[in-house]
Amino acid sequence: RNPTKGFLLGTRQTLLETNDGGKTWAPRSIDAARDEGFNYRFNSISFAGKEGWIVGKPAILLHTSDGGANWERIPLSSKLPGKGVVLDSLAPGQAEMITDQGAIYVTDNTAYTWTAAVQETVDATLNRTVSSGISGASYYEGSFSNLARSSSGDYVAVSSRGNFYMTWSPGQTYWMPHNRPAPRRLQNMGFTPAGEVWVTTRGGDVLVSEDAGLASEKFKDVTINSRGFGILDVGFRDDKVAFACGGSGSLYRSEDGGKNWKRDRSTDDVAGNLYAIKFFNPQLGFVLGNDGILLRYTGVSA
């Protein structure tokens, strides 16, 4: 991968490109996404070599084979459950797409055909398991609010209301629901570099599973003084250094793999909420916020 070249997605068909590691960005126009009467929100972009994909809402799938210089639109069936929220380019011609309703599809022929990886909808799973003690499952509104994929292909997903979470591993035929591990509603979930699952809540808590993988349902609280602001995302620079972001420009730093956190005051003057953190290598990371806020990691932190 080229560490100097990258793309940034947004609403209204927004696609920005950088060729200098994120120091400057230029808007790109995709003719294939110019559909009269529609404003598309691009949700996910992924590359494997020069082949890349973009998935968005309303349902749209774009493909490039020349590193993003040109994009073509690939039709999606109107019967597709939900809207595509995450797409991972696995290898040339191979991709995996997941919708906000939990449908998972894989292709190995550049989207000429798709194969379903789960055999029933999330709604059907919950209707079948709601009597098994999953608190809040009866309030499921049909979509995920956040989901994350591990390097091994496992998924964790937070229900839209934050009442519970669900997991899926390759080979399983349906999603597995789980009670939330904290009294407060869940905000986001993801994976540490060691494969443990981290959880944030809408009240500013951070929890980490005691063991790697999805089998463990035991989580432990970590020390973070969030002042009541919700923690919206966690991103790992490496095995030890991690950052967490949240409301009102809140940024926190951990030096021990996420066990303890201290406030990072380098964003105290940022007037906005910080939504997402992404590191591409230990020296290249970004924090995305509302109203066009984009922060680039410089290696210096207060």
Side-chain angles (χ1 to χ4, degrees), residues 192-193 196 208 220 222-223 236 238-243 253-262:
T192 71
E196 300 142 335
V208 179
K220 53 188 176 184
V222 300
T223 304
F236 282 80
D238 51 38
D239 291 345
K240 294 295 183 181
V241 179
F243 291 87
R253 180 184 177 108
S254 172
E255 301 280 355
D256 57 7
K259 296 181 177 63
N260 296 278
W261 298 82
K262 292 183 179 180

Side-chain angles (χ1 to χ4, degrees), residues 41 82 89 115 157 177 194 218:
R41 176 191 181 95
S89 186
T115 302
K218 294 182 178 180

Side-chain angles (χ1 to χ4, degrees), residues 259-279:
K259 296 181 177 63
N260 296 278
W261 298 82
K262 292 183 179 180
R263 187 175 174 186
D264 187 322
R265 297 189 174 275
S266 62
T267 60
D268 282 1
D269 294 332
V270 175
N273 297 325
L274 304 179
Y275 291 136
I277 300 177
K278 176 70 174 180
F279 276 92

Side-chain angles (χ1 to χ4, degrees), residues 144-166:
F144 297 145
S145 61
N146 285 298
L147 60 91
R149 184 182 190 273
S150 74
S151 57
S152 60
D154 294 333
Y155 280 100
V156 289
V158 179
S159 69
S160 55
R161 292 169 61 95
N163 290 2
F164 61 98
Y165 73 97
M166 304 191 74

Side-chain angles (χ1 to χ4, degrees), residues 60-73:
I60 186 172
L61 178 63
L62 301 169
H63 174 261
T64 180
S65 56
D66 55 13
N70 298 281
W71 295 85
E72 62 174 336
R73 183 169 180 177

Side-chain angles (χ1 to χ4, degrees), residues 160-182:
S160 55
R161 292 169 61 95
N163 290 2
F164 61 98
Y165 73 97
M166 304 191 74
T167 61
W168 180 84
S169 294
Q172 293 181 336
T173 56
Y174 55 87
W175 287 83
M176 297 291 294
H178 305 265
N179 283 308
R180 66 177 187 255

